[in-house]
Amino acid sequence: MTNHITIFDTTLRDGEQSPGAAMTIPDKVRIAHLLARMGVDVIEAGFPVSSPGQYDAVRRIALEVEGAVICALARAGEKDITAAAGALEGAPNSRIHTFIATSDIHLMSKFGDARYGSTLAGKRSTIRDMAVRAVEQARSFTDDVEFSAEDAGRTDREYLAEIVQAVVEAGATTINIPDTTGYCIPDEYADLIGRMVALVPPQVVVSTHCHDDLGLAVANSLSGVQAGARQVECTINGIGERAGNAALEEIAMALTVRNNHFGVTTGITSTHLTAASRLVATSSGFVVQPNKAIVGRNAFSHEAGIHQDGVLKNRETYEIMRAEDVGQEAEAIRLGRHSGRHGLFARLERIGVRVEPDQRDVVYSAFVELADRKKEINDIDLFNLLHKNTTHMSTAHYALEYVSVAVGTDRQPEATVRIRHVKQDTLEEYTATGDGPIDALYRAIDHAVSEAHDLVSYNIRSISEGADAFGEVSVFIGYGGPMFAGKASSTDVVLASADAYLNALNNLAAYRADEESVRFVNDGIMQAFEGGVES
Ligand code: MN
């Protein structure tokens, strides 16, 4: 048996099924490029028959993204498989992933209709035949066909064996055993995988697909690997239906750090993990919890003095892996009020930013001022800080001179803005209405500024406590290429929203104007999000 574990990423399919996650097609293409660069073997790009947007996303990824097998999901039916094959056309390496539910509870409810059979035995045989036909049809388009027995975790073991054997004979090359409901526990799931591995010929790969309803998705996946699974299905940050899927970054690092235990390898370049996590968090709008393993911003921060001291003397005292192994080097020692000049400039240098000696005082006092307001300071804060406080950074293209927003129970939110176009020295004033005050405000700014772009994400959080709390707004905008950040904080969240948006638009405008100094800042921002292209 091979020692290589195929990493099958389903961030763009199962991950996108997270309630509330909505990624645009450009977001998905950007994520797929990063996944491929990171060494993911198979990218499940979507479920083409389900909507035109899904179809287009799979199609664009199939045409543009190189280096990984591009996979599309299809139910076990002709229309689905035709759509999947159509969307994948043009991909150098493509896989069709077809599935059907096999547990009794699914058979009796999803396939309750008498045309699927009047008894459980009758339904089981109809479903088996549908699965076989689907795999045969998929094989007419590609040699790489995956079959999933949905809710395998709760499927009768004998029936599961029967359907798996039938689809393997029909040409399935990967057999996925999803614990769709997150019901299994590790030894049970290992037993299930072990049986499947023993059942199929050695060239057929058995795959895990675990959900985190009981917090066991990663543990179950790893048990599956020990039992002989050679593909793991997972998502960045563990996003997905309900409690989510197994987290790719945790699987990859567990297999690497505990290689002595598992004895298997993956193709993942782990230094891209943090960048991938941030990109997915930004695109999906799902913030990563600070204590999240591997990619959480505290994952490598040592707060207790005794730990900090130990780590400085010998990192291995409290670290089983290094922050830089997962691309988190910039976060290794937390920056805060007590970091001092040396800490600040050392950190800036590590993230590739050199501040000229004559600028250092002004940058440092801005940092101290920010540190008073903010418990900890991250890379994006640093970029913003530099952006505001050094003379060789971006020249403002747009300046907000006036803003007024009106809301009320009996009226539509309305915003008026007056914006100075600094280079031309002209003023533009616009009024717009919207679904809410921020929507109205951003529409008015869009009119006044006219820089083509998409709003990629808008985030607001409180950075202090109480009724006078500071609200911090962070905005990302893009136009298909790089993304531009804007951030502002104020006790007035409407003003902070306007400032953050203008800040991002200024970054975009400066980038378009190809200003040398600004490129420097924005390259940094992009580096923080997409990782270096090297290695
Ligand atoms: Mn799933």
Side-chain angles (χ1 to χ4, degrees), residues 10 13-14 17 178-180 209-211 241 245:
T10 184
R13 202 278 300 167
D14 211 329
Q17 286 172 228
D179 182 21
T180 307
H209 179 110
C210 298
H211 278 271
E241 284 273 8
N245 290 66

Side-chain angles (χ1 to χ4, degrees), residues 341 344 360-371 385 389:
R341 268 182 92 95
L344 170 66
R360 288 191 169 206
D361 285 341
V362 61
V363 168
Y364 182 62
S365 50
F367 166 75
V368 171
E369 198 247 323
L370 180 65
L385 187 95
N389 291 289

Side-chain angles (χ1 to χ4, degrees), residues 300-318:
F300 296 90
S301 295
H302 302 280
E303 183 81 16
I306 188 167
H307 284 217
Q308 287 196 344
D309 187 56
V311 165
L312 290 172
K313 286 181 179 137
N314 177 359
R315 308 171 61 142
E316 288 178 15
T317 49
Y318 290 100

Side-chain angles (χ1 to χ4, degrees), residues 164-214:
V164 163
Q165 271 173 323
V167 294
V168 167
E169 273 168 39
T173 47
T174 298
I175 297 295
N176 185 37
I177 305 297
D179 182 21
T180 307
T181 51
Y183 176 76
C184 288
I185 53 172
D187 58 352
E188 194 179 20
Y189 191 67
D191 176 66
L192 177 56
I193 292 290
R195 284 168 190 243
M196 294 301 131
V197 172
L199 192 70
V200 302
Q203 72 277 13
V204 172
V205 173
V206 174
S207 169
T208 68
H209 179 110
C210 298
H211 278 271
D212 212 30
D213 297 71
L214 294 174

Side-chain angles (χ1 to χ4, degrees), residues 16-36:
E16 216 228 1
Q17 286 172 228
S18 308
M23 300 181 208
T24 63
I25 292 177
D27 283 340
K28 291 182 179 184
V29 173
R30 199 177 296 130
I31 291 168
H33 276 296
L34 181 51
L35 293 173

Side-chain angles (χ1 to χ4, degrees), residues 48-59:
V49 83
S50 67
S51 75
Q54 288 273 328
Y55 188 96
D56 286 347
V58 175
R59 182 159 176 72

Side-chain angles (χ1 to χ4, degrees), residues 94-433:
S94 64
R95 171 182 296 188
I96 294 176
H97 174 194
T98 186
F99 73 99
I100 199 161
T102 52
S103 66
D104 293 352
I105 184 165
H106 278 239
L107 291 192
M108 295 312 282
S109 44
K110 274 190 180 170
F111 301 102
D113 195 289
R115 73 195 146 108
Y116 297 107
S118 49
T119 60
L120 179 62
K123 288 183 196 298
R124 282 181 174 176
S125 113
T126 307
I127 296 311
R128 187 197 55 224
D129 293 346
M130 285 168 71
V132 165
R133 273 200 307 279
V135 168
E136 285 169 351
Q137 196 202 344
R139 275 300 298 254
S140 72
F141 294 107
T142 170
D143 291 341
D144 189 346
V145 173
E146 172 168 331
F147 174 77
S148 280
E150 191 188 7
D151 203 18
R154 293 190 300 175
T155 297
D156 175 81
R157 299 291 188 257
E158 264 176 51
Y159 177 55
L160 186 61
E162 176 190 328
I163 198 165
V164 163
Q165 271 173 323
V167 294
V168 167
E169 273 168 39
T173 47
T174 298
I175 297 295
N176 185 37
I177 305 297
D179 182 21
T180 307
T181 51
Y183 176 76
C184 288
I185 53 172
D187 58 352
E188 194 179 20
Y189 191 67
D191 176 66
L192 177 56
I193 292 290
R195 284 168 190 243
M196 294 301 131
V197 172
L199 192 70
V200 302
Q203 72 277 13
V204 172
V205 173
V206 174
S207 169
T208 68
H209 179 110
C210 298
H211 278 271
D212 212 30
D213 297 71
L214 294 174
L216 294 170
V218 169
N220 283 339
S221 304
L222 295 173
S223 289
V225 167
Q226 281 189 283
R230 284 298 173 265
Q231 174 176 288
V232 174
E233 302 197 356
C234 44
T235 61
I236 299 292
N237 298 339
I239 66 171
E241 284 273 8
R242 307 182 311 279
N245 290 66
L248 183 151
E249 59 279 6
E250 294 175 21
I251 302 275
M253 291 315 289
L255 294 178
T256 304
V257 172
R258 296 308 310 276
N259 177 267
N260 59 346
H261 185 75
F262 293 102
V264 296
T265 55
T266 72
I268 298 296
T269 302
S270 62
T271 48
H272 291 314
L273 289 171
T274 299
S277 166
R278 291 184 187 177
L279 183 59
V280 169
T282 310
S283 307
S284 65
F286 287 177
V287 177
V288 173
Q289 83 216 40
N291 59 319
K292 166 80 176 62
I294 317 297
V295 291
R297 69 172 190 275
N298 289 355
F300 296 90
S301 295
H302 302 280
E303 183 81 16
I306 188 167
H307 284 217
Q308 287 196 344
D309 187 56
V311 165
L312 290 172
K313 286 181 179 137
N314 177 359
R315 308 171 61 142
E316 288 178 15
T317 49
Y318 290 100
E319 287 184 2
I320 58 166
M321 55 195 154
R322 297 174 309 164
E324 54 263 45
D325 295 341
V326 303
Q328 274 225 45
E329 58 270 42
E331 311 272 349
I333 296 284
R334 186 187 293 177
L335 267 192
R337 199 144 37 122
H338 307 293
S339 300
R341 268 182 92 95
H342 179 73
L344 170 66
F345 292 110
R347 164 85 159 262
L348 283 170
E349 219 144 272
R350 266 211 304 266
I351 59 176
V353 176
R354 233 175 58 83
V355 179
E356 298 305 322
D358 63 335
Q359 305 275 349
R360 288 191 169 206
D361 285 341
V362 61
V363 168
Y364 182 62
S365 50
F367 166 75
V368 171
E369 198 247 323
L370 180 65
D372 270 338
R373 284 187 284 125
K374 219 169 163 271
K375 189 166 180 284
E376 64 197 76
I377 293 174
N378 61 33
D379 291 347
I380 297 292
D381 293 329
L382 287 178
F383 286 122
N384 283 339
L385 187 95
L386 289 166
H387 180 70
K388 276 197 204 135
N389 291 289
T390 53
T391 50
H392 67 278
M393 296 297 168
S394 168
T395 329
H397 284 242
Y398 307 109
L400 186 65
E401 301 229 326
Y402 170 83
V403 57
S404 164
V405 176
V407 291
T409 49
D410 59 347
R411 56 173 302 161
Q412 210 187 355
E414 187 182 278
T416 300
V417 298
R418 194 155 63 235
I419 287 173
R420 178 170 300 281
H421 288 225
V422 177
K423 300 261 146 105
Q424 296 89 339
D425 199 26
T426 55
L427 274 176
E428 298 283 346
E429 181 170 320
Y430 277 91
T431 297
T433 56

